[in-house]
């Protein structure tokens, strides 16, 4: 398996899963940590089947200017259907005069298809948003998805 492509997935803090398709076209996995102390598992284990689809929570961000201020739109997919998640945000204006920021956490329910759509109204002194970050966390599973405004 040394020349095979490896996919790494972090399901939550301090958890890492590796997946690889071996030369025999079988999917193998390895996890870290499997025990206190942070050691890798005893070896690669086979996953039944011949293909692997990993759908992790993902989000994207978009800003819009409205007459009342800015709106930050958070869109996501691959969350647990109907899950209640926490949307933590921090946005700011660092270029127009003194730095101003807005931050907070909203509790949002994901739809039955595992998709998320949430709008956050932002009012900043100084006008526009030029930096920001959002993290969506499922408190039950610990799954997280993060995005930054660029």
């Amino acid at each position: 398996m040394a020349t095979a492509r490896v996919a790494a997935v972090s399901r939550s803090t301090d958890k890492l899963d590796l997946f690889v398709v071996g030369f025999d076209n079988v999917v193998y996995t390895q996890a870290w940590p499997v025990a206190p102390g942070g050691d890798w598992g005893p070896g690669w284990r086979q996953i039944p089947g011949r293909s692997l689809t990993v759908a992790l929570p993902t989000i994207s961000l978009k800003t819009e200017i409205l007459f009342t201020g800015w709106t930050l739109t958070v869109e996501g997919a691959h969350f647990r259907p109907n899950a209640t998640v926490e949307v933590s945000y921090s946005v700011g204006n660092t270029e127009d005069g003194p730095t101003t920021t807005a931050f907070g956490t909203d509790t949002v329910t994901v739809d039955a298809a595992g998709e998320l759509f949430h709008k956050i109204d932002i009012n900043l002194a100084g006008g526009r948003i030029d930096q920001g970050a959002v993290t969506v966390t499922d408190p039950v599973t610990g799954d997280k998805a993060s995005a930054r405004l660029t």
Side-chain angles (χ1 to χ4, degrees):
M1 284 186 275
T3 61
R5 180 176 243 167
V6 176
V9 177
S10 178
R11 293 176 286 146
S12 63
T13 304
D14 297 331
K15 292 182 181 173
L16 183 65
D17 295 298
L18 301 178
F19 297 91
V20 65
V21 178
F23 295 122
D24 54 0
N25 288 326
V26 174
V27 178
Y28 294 88
T29 186
Q30 171 76 279
W32 177 87
V34 293
D39 292 332
W40 286 94
W44 292 91
R45 67 180 174 87
Q46 183 176 340
I47 297 177
R50 298 273 184 210
S51 66
L52 176 67
T53 301
V54 178
L56 294 176
T58 58
I59 60 173
S60 62
L61 304 177
K62 177 175 73 171
T63 58
E64 302 172 88
I65 183 68
L66 305 173
F67 289 112
T68 58
W70 286 90
T71 297
L72 179 64
T73 302
V74 182
E75 296 182 31
H78 309 298
F79 289 90
R80 281 186 314 118
N82 303 311
T84 299
V85 297
E86 297 170 351
V87 179
S88 300
Y89 62 92
S90 173
V91 296
N93 177 344
T94 60
E95 294 182 6
D96 298 330
T99 299
T100 56
T101 59
F103 57 91
T105 300
D106 295 344
T107 301
V108 179
T109 301
V110 174
D111 71 15
E115 296 180 354
L116 168 73
F117 183 83
H118 182 57
K119 288 189 174 235
I120 303 166
D121 291 326
I122 306 289
N123 289 309
L124 288 177
R128 65 193 172 99
I129 295 172
D130 62 15
Q131 60 86 24
V134 173
T135 299
V136 179
T137 304
D138 182 333
V140 173
T141 64
D143 289 344
K144 292 183 181 186
S146 296
R148 292 191 161 286
L149 292 173
T150 57

